[in-house]
Amino acid sequence: MTNPSSYTPRGALTPHRPLADLTWLRVGGPADFLFQPADEADLADFLRGLPGDVAVFPMGVGSNLIVRDGGLRAVVIRLGRGFNAIEIDGETVTAGAAALDAHVARRAAQAGRDLTFLRTIPGSIGGAVVMNAGCYGSYVADHLISARAITRGGEVVTLAPDDLNFSYRHSDLPEGSVLIDATFHTEPGDPEALEARMAEQIAKRDASQPTKERSAGSTFRNPAGFSSTGRADDVHDLKAWSLIDAAGLRGARLGGAQMSQKHSNFLINADQASAADLENLGEEVRKKVLHNSGISLEWEIKRVGEFGT
């Protein structure tokens, strides 16, 4: 089968597409199909024509994702140029789901609008909304006015924050829906001051995180339910990294996977790791942290697909 939909798309539809090169960790088997829609109408018509038993998996830039070695029995939908516009209108910023978080923060700052918390968050706006991404004590939920999505049935819907039911690193996007853009409320700020703040945040991130390694950001959620605020009085006793350190697992390795020496809550592909290496090391860390501290770490990295053979 070359097209699972009754609609012939204008965008690129590729069967049996390996996904490793589309994830930051560079691991993962093939998807049954990868669909890169030309625009909103193309995506809606494609979804409308899909049989109900065909699974859909929206994928951003793969910054927070392990695709297992057996790949995905689904149509993976990856948004591109038709979905990365950034529009600024007074106090509001509307960004396409494929727009990179860092680009949105910078464009807003240039216009004197403050979305600086997005600057150090890896990935795209679609993933940021779905994960209620946050940094320095500010979250997507604090700024979102509305988001638009295309449902599994091909209908365009507008979602308010209450519809998404935001919580720590979570939202309730309707199953099979593909988020296409989001509109944020912003506070005013001096462009130069905003740029300086972001430069300081980047410097702090690069000093403490393995930004030059193949990682997927924070591996586990912080048990306290909060991200680091950056304040001088920030308490670290319930941060995931401190629990991993206490269990003696900074730098721990399994196959080609490693818990970073620089930041122990970062799982990195140190030497041609498989997806199984990465996930199995993460599970070993969870088991040892539970034994050492009595706290069960929860994955922040999304893991999808079938195990390899």
Side-chain angles (χ1 to χ4, degrees):
M1 181 188 296
T2 58
N3 182 4
S5 176
S6 60
Y7 164 76
T8 301
R10 290 175 283 113
L13 180 65
T14 309
H16 310 298
R17 173 62 160 83
L19 298 175
D21 66 316
L22 301 181
T23 71
W24 284 26
L25 282 165
R26 293 295 190 266
V27 296
D32 287 347
F33 294 91
L34 174 69
F35 179 43
Q36 297 164 283
D39 52 33
E40 189 177 310
D42 194 36
L43 175 57
D45 289 338
F46 180 82
L47 289 172
R48 197 174 296 118
L50 273 182
D53 60 349
V54 176
V56 169
F57 180 75
M59 180 178 176
V61 294
S63 61
N64 186 47
L65 184 67
I66 292 175
V67 177
R68 294 182 175 121
D69 299 308
L72 269 170
R73 306 290 72 80
V75 176
V76 171
I77 295 176
R78 195 168 192 260
L79 306 183
R81 288 185 180 177
F83 299 86
N84 64 357
I86 302 169
E87 299 178 0
I88 301 171
D89 182 10
E91 296 180 353
T92 65
V93 174
T94 298
L100 296 179
D101 300 333
H103 289 177
V104 175
R106 293 176 67 185
R107 281 282 304 279
Q110 289 165 7
R113 308 309 306 183
D114 186 356
L115 284 176
T116 52
F117 82 100
L118 288 171
R119 179 64 181 90
T120 59
I121 297 174
S124 57
I125 288 296
V129 173
V130 170
M131 288 293 292
N132 188 23
C135 196
Y136 299 107
S138 191
Y139 296 84
V140 164
D142 300 325
H143 300 271
L144 188 77
I145 297 171
S146 64
R148 290 194 311 138
I150 298 179
T151 69
R152 184 64 177 73
E155 179 188 3
V156 179
V157 296
T158 299
L159 303 167
D162 286 349
D163 297 322
L164 291 164
N165 192 28
F166 284 119
S167 58
Y168 178 64
R169 296 292 188 264
H170 177 78
S171 70
D172 287 335
L173 188 69
E175 184 69 27
S177 296
V178 181
L179 195 140
I180 54 175
D181 63 35
T183 299
F184 302 93
H185 169 76
T186 64
E187 295 295 332
D190 175 70
E192 289 188 5
L194 296 174
E195 286 287 353
R197 184 190 305 167
M198 291 189 295
E200 182 182 358
Q201 290 171 355
I202 289 291
K204 285 182 178 178
R205 182 195 67 179
D206 290 349
S208 64
Q209 298 176 8
T211 53
K212 299 189 185 308
E213 304 282 356
R214 289 179 178 173
S215 82
S218 297
T219 304
F220 302 108
R221 299 178 181 184
N222 288 319
F226 302 100
S227 61
S228 296
T229 64
R231 295 192 303 262
D233 62 349
D234 195 14
V235 177
H236 290 260
D237 56 349
L238 278 182
K239 295 296 189 291
W241 71 262
S242 64
L243 296 170
I244 294 168
D245 277 4
L249 294 167
R250 182 179 288 261
R253 291 193 67 138
L254 191 156
Q258 182 179 17
M259 303 309 295
S260 170
Q261 288 279 7
K262 191 170 189 178
H263 191 309
S264 56
N265 192 29
F266 277 66
L267 181 61
I268 62 174
N269 184 345
D271 184 18
Q272 299 181 325
S274 65
D277 288 343
L278 292 159
E279 188 168 8
N280 289 340
L281 177 57
E283 286 299 319
E284 186 68 16
V285 168
R286 292 183 70 240
K287 182 170 71 174
K288 290 185 176 179
V289 166
L290 178 62
H291 177 76
N292 186 67
S293 68
I295 294 173
S296 181
L297 292 175
E298 296 181 24
W299 282 90
E300 185 163 322
I301 297 175
K302 189 175 180 68
R303 295 149 297 128
V304 298
E306 298 183 348
F307 295 102
T309 55

